[in-house]
Amino acid sequence: MEERQRRRAGGAVVAAGLVVGVCAGAGGCGGGDRAATADARGGGDAVAVVRRAADTLVAAGSSQARTSMEMATGGTRVTIRGAGGYDFRRQLGRLTVQLPQDPAGASEHRPITELLAPGALFMKNRGAGVPADKWVRVDTGTLSDGNLVTGGATDPYAAAEVLRGTTAATYLGKTEVAGASVRHYRGVADLSVAARSASAGNEAALRSAAKGFATSRVPFDVYLDEQGRVRKVRQRFSFVNGQRRSTVAVASTTLLYDFGASVDVRLPASKDIYAGKIAEK
């Protein structure tokens, strides 16, 4: 039990360092049914349409994903990018996350491999004293942001489940995203409401985020295709940087495409998970 608690606590330190460390280095920034298809075309109640987005992704099965996370405060902005695939039915994903260059541009960070699973985040190539062949496991329910920000990429299914907490939404019209015809909705979600409707794998994480962010309100823009599937979602989070006690604005964008693509995610064995002391960066 003590070893398990030490591992979880250490993992949380490393995960928090992924975002907060980048901020410090940059200057202290801190297919649905017929009804669903009809709603996606602009009919029906906008709040109800958006709240169904997560279920529509589960029906779609899987997709490829690209992510970006922008953090800004005090005039400084950094962006973390990721790419990979996600299996919505199993709630498993694999992303390669690229941290930005150091402010001086003198060095680059090695890409970090992240495995996303219900209630857990696995990271490889994190550094900070972790052997190159080992993974760090983090219980997302213990993170104050529920891993919506910490990992440098929002779990695509978690991003969709945030939409379950939509309290207001407006249909803004038809447009295109990456060549796909989509309907644009803008609104606000409440993390507390989302947590009550979320899957078992994301419930604890979203509940933690509702308590840990500066506000549980999450403004968003989401673009749904003709089947009601999320093609793009941009969500704006706000948290307090403990180092400087300043509010950090975070914009997380997830782009989904190539639905039905094969996604092979294998979680690491216990022997491959690092259980030693983790240094902060």
Side-chain angles (χ1 to χ4, degrees):
M1 179 62 71
E2 292 181 358
E3 174 63 25
R4 185 182 304 168
Q5 291 175 340
R6 182 165 63 88
R7 182 184 304 172
R8 288 169 59 184
V13 169
V14 165
L18 179 55
V19 168
V20 176
V22 170
C23 288
C29 74
D33 56 16
R34 292 181 180 178
T37 301
D39 287 340
R41 289 173 179 167
D45 177 68
V47 170
V49 171
V50 173
R51 283 183 172 181
R52 280 198 294 271
D55 293 331
T56 306
L57 288 180
V58 173
S62 63
S63 78
Q64 293 297 296
R66 288 202 297 270
T67 67
S68 69
M69 186 167 289
E70 304 169 10
M71 292 165 284
T73 189
T76 302
R77 183 181 300 273
V78 295
T79 302
I80 301 172
R81 302 188 186 280
Y86 200 93
D87 184 327
F88 296 102
R89 290 175 181 163
R90 299 171 62 206
Q91 293 183 36
L92 295 175
R94 182 185 183 97
L95 296 176
T96 299
V97 177
Q98 181 64 63
L99 300 180
Q101 286 187 334
D102 292 331
S107 63
E108 291 186 359
H109 300 275
R110 292 181 62 191
I112 297 173
T113 300
E114 295 188 356
L115 301 182
L116 310 169
L121 167 67
F122 299 85
M123 295 184 292
K124 195 173 188 180
N125 295 338
R126 174 61 187 93
V130 180
D133 62 339
K134 295 292 185 180
W135 295 84
V136 173
R137 183 189 186 281
V138 180
D139 181 349
T140 56
T142 66
L143 299 174
S144 62
D145 71 294
N147 193 39
L148 294 175
V149 172
T150 289
T154 302
D155 180 313
Y157 190 61
E161 293 226 90
V162 168
L163 299 176
R164 294 188 189 276
T166 298
T167 56
T170 301
Y171 172 59
L172 297 182
K174 192 174 182 180
T175 185
E176 286 191 359
V177 169
S181 177
V182 294
R183 297 286 172 168
H184 180 192
Y185 295 85
R186 177 172 294 162
V188 176
D190 187 292
L191 292 169
S192 298
V193 176
R196 292 197 292 268
S197 303
S199 63
N202 283 323
E203 180 183 359
L206 292 179
R207 192 182 303 116
S208 293
K211 297 177 181 178
F213 279 129
T215 173
S216 65
R217 288 168 51 85
V218 179
F220 67 82
D221 283 86
V222 64
Y223 302 80
L224 307 179
D225 65 15
E226 296 295 326
Q227 288 73 48
R229 302 174 300 192
V230 175
R231 288 291 184 145
K232 179 180 178 181
V233 58
R234 182 175 177 86
Q235 296 164 327
R236 291 169 287 284
F237 307 111
S238 178
F239 70 93
V240 177
N241 183 355
Q243 294 178 341
R244 298 192 177 216
R245 296 189 177 278
S246 58
T247 300
V248 179
V250 179
S252 175
T253 301
T254 302
L255 185 69
L256 302 178
Y257 61 100
D258 197 6
F259 287 95
S262 177
V263 177
D264 183 18
V265 180
R266 300 181 184 181
L267 300 182
S270 298
K271 64 182 179 62
D272 296 322
I273 299 175
Y274 183 61
K277 183 177 179 180
I278 301 170
E280 291 188 67
K281 266 195 171 181

